[in-house]
Amino acid sequence: MARRLEPLTLANLGELPVPCRDCVFWELDPVAAKQADRNGDTGLEKEAWLSQLLLDWGTAGVVLYVDDEPAGFAVYAPATYLPRIQAFPTAPVSPDAVVLATGRILPRYLGLGLGKILVQAVAKDVLKRGFRAVEAFGDSRWDGPGCVWPTEFLRAVGFAVVREHPRNPRLRLDLRSAVTWRSEMEAAVERLMGAIRPEHSPPKPVTVRDALTRTPSS
C-alpha cells in the first residue's frame, strides 16, 4: 500500500470523515459550539477556525492517505486555539507543549499501525517548531469513535499520564527525553520525509538529525 501525508488545509478538509469535517468540539467553547449547531453553522465555523489558524500558526493537522484514499487524520494546535480545553478537569496544558486535539483512523484501515504514523508526523512538526512536548486528553471510557483520543491508544504510542482523572486524564509525550520513541520516530521521518514535503519545494539533501532539530527561519 502506498502511503503519503498531506497537511490539513481548506482544500482537503472535506476529505475528513463526515462527522469530523464539520465538528467544532475543540474549535469552540461548549456554549458557542451548541449555538453553532443550532444555527447549522458548524461547517462554516470549522473553515473559519482552520483558515485563521493556518494564517497565524501554520500547519495544524495532517491527513494520511493510503493508495490515494483518505485513511486517517490528526489535528493539533497550541492550547490558545482550542477553547474546549478549559472544559476538561485536567486542564491547563503545559506551556511548552502543543495539543494533539483529535484524530481518527477509518475503520477499514485499523490495525495497520497508521495511528502511530500520524502521531509521529505531528511530533516531527512540533519538534521543528521548538516545542518540548505534545500533550493530549484521553478518554478512559472510550467505547467508539469520538472527539477525544482513547487513553490506551495514547499510552500505546508513548504518552504518559501527567494528571490523573477517571475519565479524562491529561497525557504527555516528552519529545526530548523519550529516547527510544524518538529513535523509532527518526525511522518514520526517514521514510516519510518526501511524502510530507510540499510539492513546490524541491527535495534537498538532509539528515534525519537535521530534520528533527533545526528550527524554521522566521
Side-chain angles (χ1 to χ4, degrees):
M1 294 185 295
R3 303 170 182 175
R4 79 174 194 277
L5 291 165
E6 297 286 349
L8 177 64
T9 66
L10 293 175
N12 61 8
L13 178 62
E15 297 184 350
L16 269 53
V18 173
C20 305
R21 66 184 65 165
D22 295 333
C23 178
V24 290
F25 177 88
W26 288 97
E27 293 82 355
L28 299 176
D29 64 70
V31 174
K34 288 181 180 179
Q35 185 64 47
D37 185 57
R38 285 195 295 266
N39 296 339
D41 294 336
T42 55
L44 293 176
E45 292 284 358
K46 183 88 166 190
E47 291 180 2
W49 176 86
L50 180 58
S51 178
Q52 190 63 54
L53 184 51
L54 288 170
L55 286 172
D56 292 348
W57 195 66
T59 300
V62 62
V63 183
L64 175 61
Y65 295 85
V66 174
D67 294 334
D68 294 326
E69 294 292 329
F73 75 96
V75 175
Y76 56 101
T80 53
Y81 289 93
L82 301 166
R84 174 68 67 156
I85 287 175
Q86 301 307 315
F88 280 83
T90 48
V93 172
S94 305
D96 63 349
V98 168
V99 180
L100 178 62
T102 190
R104 187 175 297 187
I105 297 295
L106 273 63
R108 63 181 292 192
Y109 298 105
L110 292 173
L112 301 177
L114 302 184
K116 189 168 187 176
I117 288 177
L118 284 173
V119 174
Q120 289 169 338
V122 172
K124 169 186 171 290
D125 187 46
V126 170
L127 273 171
K128 288 174 61 178
R129 296 180 192 223
F131 290 88
R132 295 181 57 86
V134 178
E135 292 193 0
F137 296 92
D139 184 351
S140 298
R141 300 174 187 170
W142 190 89
D143 60 0
C147 299
V148 182
W149 296 96
T151 301
E152 289 309 308
F153 167 77
L154 294 172
R155 288 179 180 274
V157 296
F159 284 76
V161 173
V162 291
R163 188 170 179 187
E164 295 280 2
H165 186 269
R167 178 65 185 266
N168 295 126
R170 178 163 52 90
L171 298 93
R172 178 181 174 94
L173 180 65
D174 192 325
L175 301 177
R176 300 187 187 279
S177 64
V179 178
T180 301
W181 191 93
R182 183 172 176 176
S183 176
E184 294 176 0
M185 186 178 69
E186 289 180 352
V189 170
E190 187 74 16
R191 293 192 300 271
L192 297 170
M193 182 67 71
I196 63 177
R197 183 182 292 113
E199 293 183 0
H200 62 270
S201 299
K204 298 179 181 180
V206 61
T207 66
V208 172
R209 180 179 297 276
D210 289 339
L212 290 170
T213 58
R214 67 185 182 189
T215 302
S217 57
S218 56

